[in-house]
Amino acid sequence: MNPTSLLLPINQPPPVTTFRSQFLNPTPLRLTPKFYLKRRIQSTVLSSSSVQDKPTSVNPDVFGGKKELSPIQSLVDAMSPPIRIASSALIFAGAIAAGYGLGLRFGGSRNAGVGGAIAFGAAGAGAAYALSSCAPEVAAINLHNYVADFENPAALNKEDIEAIANKYGVSKQNEAFNAELRDIYCRYVSAVLPASTEELRGDEVDTIIKFKNALGIDDPDAADMHMEIGRRIFRQRLEMGDRDGDMEQRRAFQKLMYVSTLVFGEASAFLLPWKRVFKVTDAQVDVAVRDIAQRLYASKLKSVGRDIDVNQLISLREAQLAYRLSDELAHEMFKEHARKLVEEIISTAVGILKSRTRAMEPTRVIEELDKVLTYNNLLISLKNHPDASRFAPGIGPVSLVGGEYDGDRKMDDLKLLYRAYVTDSLSSARMEEDKLAALNQLRNIFGLGKREADTITLDVTSKVYRKRLAQAVTSGELEAFESKAAYLQNLCEELNFDPQKALEIHQEIYRQKLQQLVADGELSDEDMKALERLQVMLCVPKQTVEAAHADICGSLFEKVVKEAIACGIDGYDTETKNAVRKAAYGLRLTREVAMTIASKAVRKIFITYIQRARGAGSRTESAKELKKMIAFNSFVASQLVADIKGESSDTPPEETQEEQIQQNEEEDEEWQSLQSLRKVKPSKKNLRKEIQTEITLKDDLPERERTELYKTYLLFCLTGQVTKIPFGVQITTKKDDSEYVFLSQLGSILGLTDSEIVGVHQGLAEQAFRQQAEVILADGQITKAKMVQLNELQKNVGLPPQYAQNIIKSITTTKLAAALETAVGQGRLSIKEIRELKESSVDINTMISESLRENLLKKTLADIFSSGTGEFDEEEVYENIPKDLNINVEKAKKVVHELARSRLSNSLIQAVSLLRQKNHKALVYSLNDLLACDKAVPATPLSWEVPEELSDLFIVYLKSDPPSEKLSRLQYLLGISDSTAETLRAVKDRELPNGAGEEEFVF
């Protein structure tokens, strides 16, 4: 069996293993089997009959009865150590003398006497040794009898024990004497430890330590006895073998470990080899010590009630230290104990609160809660005591968090108690300061959140405030008070009530009064006076009053408006009109509020029509839905707005129409620029019934969507209604100008501005004109016939001439730009043509990209360097050409230099090649190109692998009669000296080298 199972929890069966015999002591003490049963019986009787507050006592019978001495032991017991030594010497000397005399007498010789002396001396020595060896056993027996005679073994005296050892000249380390000490100690410890079913009393450690010190036994020997007791418990567990016995022995082993650890203190780590003998780890030992210490401390706490004082706290601290209980655990245990004490009171209060007999019970509930507060205040005062460091840990305010009432169901009971205390605190219609502090403590004790507590307090206080406010209004006290605000503020201060919450109550009262007066659908003058009087008394702000009227009266008015709208185009009759007007004026709504309510309802209908128009399958169907919306606006929405304003919805007077037409004529001329716009704009020819323009969809739909809807109906007006007939045939029915009147109304409904409407018309006209013009101007050329077509198209579309010209210019410009790009890319465009285009006001920057302009610059420079003239105009190349092409001058110079350097060497190579081909004319052109490149980038003399060919080049160029400066510069570039040049000039009239004749070159 595994010894560690002794430390398993009581409710778990121990694991079964094979018993290991090496755990048993190979040299057991000399104890009779009857001792075990006798010890258990005595221990059980003592434990069951003892009381917790009495010290642990041990029956002297636990050591057994007195032991009898043998005759020789009695003899030794009667002798003191000096007499015993002298007697031993006399016995030895007498034995020698007697042996010598008898040997001499019977042997007749001296040798016989000596032999007799030796024989009798050995016998005497044996007798003396036997006498001396009995001393430790006699001392042990006397020690046993001495201890057994004590009625209270705990009263042993260390000096008496030492006197017994000294009396017989025996050391405590003597085997026999020490064995008796160990046996006595083992019996005593076994007797002190309570039975397995009993708990420790708490004084066992002090009792054992005191007895151990009095007995004078060494710690290693005492520790061996503790381990021996552990072996006995282990063997008893094996012998009993049942579950109950196993649990009992496990409890007994845990108690032994706890007591042993405290008896030997820090030395227990090496004096008590639990791990080696019983396979018990240090952690298991610590757990056993902790658990038993907690049980002892809990037992000590049971004696502490709500009337705890300083002495009890100091005693608890001493007990905690004696039990070796950590401060953290002691703190938690005291907190838990205090919580349980409070929970008992709370349970009583809850029972009273929920009982059916409610007479005088609220007072009893408050009394119970006052007990909790008193106990909490006591703990707080003790925490702040000057000697608080000597008190048991955990002193402080009580909290029910983590206990029986820390749950949702129990929390509801705590809220009821808190509400009861708040109600009692306000029973005098005032909130005192001490009650506020008590409520704050009670909230902390109950573990209520600030929001929860404030909600309960607000609910109770609101009812009290309402009650006092009603009394003040009924009695006329509030109305008679000069400053209503001061009166209400004073009332809030007395109840410790938030003025903002009070204002909310005032607003609620006002709203209730308004709902009561407006129940019949209108407010009379008397009703308005009563509301105004209530507003003044309760100091309700004007904004709040307006909001209340807008909400309550507005909801009634909204109902009337929805009913009127639901009547539709045909159902808006006189009865509906009267109902709207009565609601608008009888409910005392401002025009702005009434219009806001009506606008919300009308716009909702508008959105419905818009959604149907979006989901329509064709433009014609969408236009039909939009036309329905226009009709609804004309016959329902406009009439509704007129009824709210109290105006007539008939056609306005002629003067008003004239003013409107005059204003329209004075507006922007853009309205006259398009035929469709002229049809939309009101005039004397299309006078129509006035419609409302205040309710629009400007804020409900984005501008893009509103313009698209307007554009859809505009296209319907332009193209007409398309009807499909069988065989895939479509019939288009043109509409008259009346559709443009609906289009104008649609623009008002959509909330489009004049500029937005003009933009839609212009955009649509421009789009139609552009599509046709791009077909006509496909080749980018404008002819007289094409201009006739474009003018006819412009009239048909109704686009103003200036807009048509802009579109034509845009198309031609785009075509021209594409043609220019192509010409530049193909090399068909020169700098001369670029200058002609600029003179024709063509923007080269937009027509030709920068990269193509740079390519054109390189092509122009290549033409200059390959012209064969040998000329290079710096002003033309560095200034005029970059300016015409809009290229940076520095960038152009860089391109010129790079191209000149590359063409310089190429021109020399080409000239030599032409020389060899005997093409003298082209050779001169190549040398001129060489000189042109040299002017752009002055070069150093050129090198060639056949110098004679350079002289031939010079002769050929000399024959062409060039200007002297060119000839001189060529001489320098070819590296020809002056003397050689003179020689070559002398023979210039001779036949040309490599000519048709057979004459060879001079060189």
Side-chain angles (χ1 to χ4, degrees):
M1 182 173 292
N2 191 349
T4 57
S5 60
L6 292 169
L7 294 179
L8 292 174
I10 301 304
N11 56 357
Q12 292 184 3
V16 179
T17 59
T18 305
F19 172 73
R20 300 180 182 182
S21 60
Q22 63 266 30
F23 293 152
L24 298 178
N25 191 346
T27 57
L29 298 178
R30 297 169 297 171
L31 300 174
T32 60
K34 296 181 179 180
F35 167 75
Y36 301 111
L37 181 59
K38 181 178 180 181
R39 184 193 64 81
R40 289 190 62 186
I41 295 175
Q42 291 174 345
S43 177
T44 302
V45 173
L46 289 174
S47 299
S48 60
S49 61
S50 60
V51 184
Q52 181 68 23
D53 56 354
K54 295 182 179 180
T56 301
S57 60
V58 178
N59 195 317
D61 292 341
V62 72
F63 303 109
K66 290 187 176 182
K67 297 182 179 179
E68 298 295 336
L69 296 173
S70 63
I72 187 171
Q73 290 175 341
S74 299
L75 178 61
V76 172
D77 181 56
M79 296 180 181
S80 62
I83 296 175
R84 188 173 63 251
I85 294 173
S87 300
S88 298
L90 289 175
I91 292 173
F92 179 69
I96 292 175
Y100 183 78
L102 292 174
L104 184 61
R105 180 178 180 182
F106 292 102
S109 65
R110 186 176 180 181
N111 291 333
V114 173
I118 292 173
F120 276 86
Y129 176 77
L131 185 65
S132 298
S133 64
C134 288
E137 295 181 0
V138 174
I141 293 173
N142 277 280
L143 175 62
H144 176 83
N145 295 337
Y146 171 76
V147 174
D149 281 342
F150 266 86
E151 293 183 0
N152 183 13
L156 283 178
N157 193 341
K158 184 177 181 180
E159 289 74 12
D160 294 340
I161 303 298
E162 293 178 351
I164 293 174
N166 295 333
K167 175 181 178 181
Y168 299 100
V170 177
S171 173
K172 287 185 178 181
Q173 302 303 323
N174 181 271
E175 181 178 358
F177 194 82
N178 189 43
E180 186 63 32
L181 286 175
R182 290 158 61 98
D183 180 55
I184 293 172
Y185 182 77
C186 183
R187 289 171 178 265
Y188 186 81
V189 172
S190 299
V192 169
L193 292 177
S196 57
T197 57
E198 300 288 336
E199 293 291 342
L200 292 173
R201 298 168 56 89
D203 60 345
E204 290 83 359
V205 175
D206 292 338
T207 302
I208 292 175
I209 292 175
K210 183 177 180 181
F211 185 79
K212 178 172 72 70
N213 294 334
L215 200 60
I217 187 172
D218 295 334
D219 283 349
D221 294 332
D224 287 343
M225 294 300 99
H226 284 261
M227 299 302 294
E228 178 60 26
I229 295 173
R231 292 188 184 95
R232 293 176 187 173
I233 295 173
F234 187 67
R235 286 196 297 269
Q236 290 175 11
R237 184 184 178 196
L238 293 177
E239 293 171 358
M240 299 179 72
D242 59 335
R243 185 181 180 86
D244 294 338
D246 179 74
M247 289 189 294
E248 290 181 7
Q249 302 310 320
R250 205 180 309 165
R251 295 191 191 98
F253 190 76
Q254 288 180 342
K255 296 172 188 175
L256 173 66
M257 291 179 62
Y258 173 76
V259 171
S260 302
T261 302
L262 267 64
V263 166
F264 297 104
E266 296 180 357
S268 61
F270 56 86
L271 288 178
L272 301 172
W274 304 112
K275 184 175 182 180
R276 178 174 59 82
V277 177
F278 298 105
K279 305 300 180 183
V280 177
T281 63
D282 294 338
Q284 289 175 313
V285 175
D286 293 339
V287 170
V289 172
R290 183 197 64 194
D291 292 345
I292 295 179
Q294 284 181 298
R295 291 200 291 269
L296 289 173
Y297 195 70
S299 177
K300 188 76 173 177
L301 285 174
K302 289 180 181 179
S303 61
V304 177
R306 297 196 306 271
D307 55 348
I308 188 172
D309 55 16
V310 173
N311 294 330
Q312 286 180 314
L313 291 175
I314 295 175
S315 176
L316 281 175
R317 177 62 173 173
E318 293 173 352
Q320 176 221 336
L321 297 176
Y323 299 156
R324 287 187 61 177
L325 183 65
S326 65
D327 289 346
E328 292 78 8
L329 292 176
H331 181 278
E332 293 298 328
M333 291 181 69
F334 190 89
K335 285 286 187 183
E336 183 179 0
H337 176 71
R339 183 177 64 244
K340 288 182 178 179
L341 292 177
V342 173
E343 286 175 351
E344 294 177 0
I345 304 175
I346 296 299
S347 298
T348 303
V350 170
I352 297 173
L353 189 64
K354 292 184 176 182
S355 62
R356 295 184 179 180
T357 56
R358 306 302 294 267
M360 299 301 292
E361 289 181 358
T363 304
R364 293 178 56 195
V365 171
I366 302 305
E367 290 176 356
E368 295 296 326
L369 293 178
D370 285 337
K371 293 178 182 178
V372 174
L373 294 172
T374 302
Y375 181 56
N376 188 66
N377 290 329
L378 175 61
L379 293 179
I380 293 175
S381 64
L382 290 174
K383 180 182 180 180
N384 300 323
H385 196 276
D387 295 334
S389 58
R390 299 173 56 194
F391 296 165
I395 301 297
V398 183
S399 176
L400 296 180
V401 177
E404 177 185 353
Y405 284 87
D406 190 9
D408 294 338
R409 296 180 61 185
K410 293 292 186 179
M411 185 60 69
D412 293 338
D413 295 338
L414 296 180
K415 291 179 180 179
L416 291 175
L417 293 177
Y418 189 81
R419 180 181 294 274
Y421 202 85
V422 173
T423 303
D424 180 75
S425 301
L426 291 171
S427 58
S428 60
R430 298 177 64 90
M431 178 64 75
E432 304 295 340
E433 292 295 332
D434 57 340
K435 292 295 184 180
L436 282 175
L439 285 171
N440 188 38
Q441 285 192 28
L442 203 60
R443 177 177 67 84
N444 294 332
I445 294 172
F446 288 171
L448 294 175
K450 190 175 187 304
R451 181 178 299 178
E452 295 174 321
D454 290 345
T455 301
I456 296 173
T457 304
L458 177 63
D459 185 28
V460 177
T461 310
S462 298
K463 294 177 181 179
V464 177
Y465 182 82
R466 286 176 180 273
K467 183 177 180 181
R468 289 199 57 182
L469 185 63
Q471 293 174 354
V473 173
T474 304
S475 63
E477 181 181 359
L478 177 58
E479 188 174 9
F481 207 81
E482 182 178 358
S483 175
K484 277 69 175 177
Y487 183 91
L488 296 174
Q489 180 66 28
N490 183 50
L491 182 59
C492 291
E493 291 176 356
E494 290 180 358
L495 297 176
N496 193 40
F497 194 48
D498 185 6
Q500 187 62 35
K501 299 296 182 182
L503 181 59
E504 293 177 4
I505 292 177
H506 299 167
Q507 296 172 0
E508 183 180 353
I509 294 174
Y510 185 87
R511 290 175 63 90
Q512 291 175 353
K513 183 66 173 179
L514 177 60
Q515 289 176 346
Q516 179 183 355
L517 295 177
V518 82
D520 56 352
E522 60 180 345
L523 292 173
S524 62
D525 294 339
E526 291 77 11
D527 295 338
M528 294 301 297
K529 291 180 181 179
L531 289 173
E532 183 179 357
R533 172 175 169 270
L534 184 62
Q535 175 190 355
V536 172
M537 283 195 300
L538 299 182
C539 300
V540 181
K542 182 180 179 181
Q543 297 83 352
T544 304
V545 172
E546 292 177 353
H549 280 263
D551 184 19
I552 298 172
C553 299
S555 61
L556 297 176
F557 182 71
E558 182 180 7
K559 182 179 179 182
V560 174
V561 169
K562 288 182 178 180
E563 291 176 352
I565 292 175
C567 294
I569 297 175
D570 300 329
Y572 200 96
D573 52 11
T574 305
E575 183 180 355
T576 303
K577 181 186 297 185
N578 294 334
V580 173
R581 294 198 172 195
K582 178 183 178 183
Y585 293 96
L587 294 175
R588 307 300 176 105
L589 290 173
T590 62
R591 177 173 294 183
E592 291 76 11
V593 174
M595 284 299 300
T596 301
I597 296 171
S599 174
K600 181 179 179 182
V602 171
R603 284 186 288 110
K604 187 175 181 181
I605 302 299
F606 285 166
I607 293 295
T608 303
Y609 283 115
I610 295 295
Q611 291 174 349
R612 293 177 183 174
R614 290 175 185 164
S618 64
R619 182 189 302 162
T620 302
E621 296 299 325
S622 297
K624 289 180 179 180
E625 294 297 331
L626 293 176
K627 190 179 292 186
K628 292 178 182 179
M629 180 177 69
I630 296 170
F632 172 80
N633 181 62
S634 299
F635 297 103
V636 178
S638 299
Q639 184 63 53
L640 180 65
V641 172
D643 292 336
I644 292 174
K645 293 182 177 181
E647 301 173 352
S648 174
S649 61
D650 298 334
T651 303
E654 184 176 353
E655 296 179 359
T656 305
Q657 293 183 356
E658 293 292 340
E659 292 177 359
Q660 181 180 0
I661 294 171
Q662 183 179 359
Q663 180 182 359
N664 293 334
E665 292 177 352
E666 293 174 357
E667 287 182 356
D668 193 359
E669 294 181 357
E670 290 182 344
W671 286 95
Q672 304 299 328
S673 61
L674 295 175
Q675 183 180 359
S676 60
L677 278 175
R678 291 195 295 272
K679 295 178 180 180
V680 172
K681 196 67 176 177
S683 63
K684 294 181 179 180
K685 297 180 180 180
N686 60 356
L687 292 178
R688 61 188 183 275
K689 182 179 178 180
E690 186 70 16
I691 62 169
Q692 66 85 22
T693 57
E694 297 183 21
I695 302 176
T696 66
L697 296 175
K698 183 177 182 179
D699 298 329
D700 297 276
L701 297 176
E703 179 184 348
R704 180 178 179 182
E705 189 170 350
R706 289 184 286 119
T707 55
E708 285 295 328
L709 291 169
Y710 186 86
K711 184 178 180 181
T712 300
Y713 201 87
L714 175 58
L715 290 173
F716 173 75
C717 295
L718 294 174
T719 60
Q721 181 176 352
V722 178
T723 305
K724 292 183 179 181
I725 62 177
F727 305 104
V729 179
Q730 293 183 353
I731 299 177
T732 303
T733 304
K734 289 289 184 178
K735 295 292 184 179
D736 56 14
D737 293 344
S738 62
E739 293 294 339
Y740 289 95
V741 177
F742 297 146
L743 180 63
S744 176
Q745 295 180 9
L746 178 62
S748 299
I749 295 172
L750 294 175
L752 294 174
T753 62
D754 291 346
S755 60
E756 290 172 346
I757 293 175
V758 171
V760 174
H761 284 262
Q762 288 182 353
L764 191 61
E766 290 176 2
Q767 180 182 356
F769 183 81
R770 180 180 292 275
Q771 290 176 352
Q772 297 296 326
E774 285 181 350
V775 175
I776 297 173
L777 300 174
D779 56 355
Q781 302 295 327
I782 302 179
T783 62
K784 184 176 181 180
K786 291 181 180 180
M787 286 303 301
V788 172
Q789 290 181 342
L790 292 173
N791 291 334
E792 185 68 22
L793 176 63
Q794 177 252 326
K795 294 178 181 179
N796 293 335
V797 175
L799 189 67
Q802 62 270 25
Y803 291 103
Q805 291 299 324
N806 292 336
I807 294 174
I808 294 172
K809 184 178 180 180
S810 173
I811 295 174
T812 56
T813 302
T814 303
K815 299 291 184 180
L816 179 60
L820 290 176
E821 293 277 354
T822 304
V824 173
Q826 295 177 356
R828 295 186 287 105
L829 196 65
S830 65
I831 189 65
K832 180 180 179 181
E833 294 169 334
I834 292 294
R835 287 169 178 166
E836 291 176 354
L837 289 173
K838 292 189 69 175
E839 290 176 359
S840 300
S841 301
V842 176
D843 189 1
I844 299 299
N845 295 337
T846 58
M847 295 291 182
I848 305 175
S849 63
E850 184 178 1
S851 61
L852 290 177
R853 283 185 274 119
E854 291 178 359
N855 292 337
L856 183 59
L857 173 64
K858 292 178 181 179
K859 179 180 178 300
T860 303
L861 293 175
D863 293 341
I864 292 174
F865 290 139
S866 62
S867 63
T869 62
E871 300 297 331
F872 182 81
D873 189 353
E874 293 186 359
E875 182 180 359
E876 174 71 11
V877 174
Y878 291 146
E879 295 181 8
N880 295 338
I881 294 176
K883 181 179 179 181
D884 292 337
L885 295 177
N886 195 22
I887 297 177
N888 183 267
V889 175
E890 296 300 327
K891 188 175 183 180
K893 286 183 178 181
K894 185 177 179 182
V895 173
V896 172
H897 293 166
E898 291 177 354
L899 187 59
R901 290 190 186 96
S902 64
R903 295 297 294 268
L904 186 67
S905 59
N906 292 337
S907 297
L908 178 61
I909 295 172
Q910 185 178 6
V912 173
S913 175
L914 293 171
L915 176 66
R916 292 173 181 175
Q917 297 174 13
K918 300 180 182 181
N919 189 349
H920 298 160
K921 185 177 181 179
L923 183 149
V924 173
Y925 290 158
S926 294
L927 292 177
N928 283 331
D929 293 340
L930 177 68
L931 292 173
C933 293
D934 177 66
K935 288 182 180 180
V937 181
T940 57
L942 303 174
S943 61
W944 190 253
E945 57 185 7
V946 184
E948 291 79 4
E949 291 183 336
L950 297 179
S951 299
D952 292 342
L953 291 176
F954 185 77
I955 291 176
V956 172
Y957 193 74
L958 183 63
K959 280 286 190 178
S960 65
D961 294 328
S964 59
E965 62 272 9
K966 288 186 178 181
L967 185 62
S968 172
R969 187 61 184 174
L970 179 62
Q971 175 188 343
Y972 171 76
L973 292 175
L974 296 179
I976 298 175
S977 63
D978 294 339
S979 59
T980 303
E982 289 298 329
T983 303
L984 294 174
R985 286 190 182 93
V987 295
K988 76 173 186 176
D989 293 333
R990 296 175 59 184
E991 187 178 354
L992 291 176
N994 295 327
E998 296 179 355
E999 184 179 1
E1000 296 180 355
F1001 287 114
V1002 177
F1003 301 98

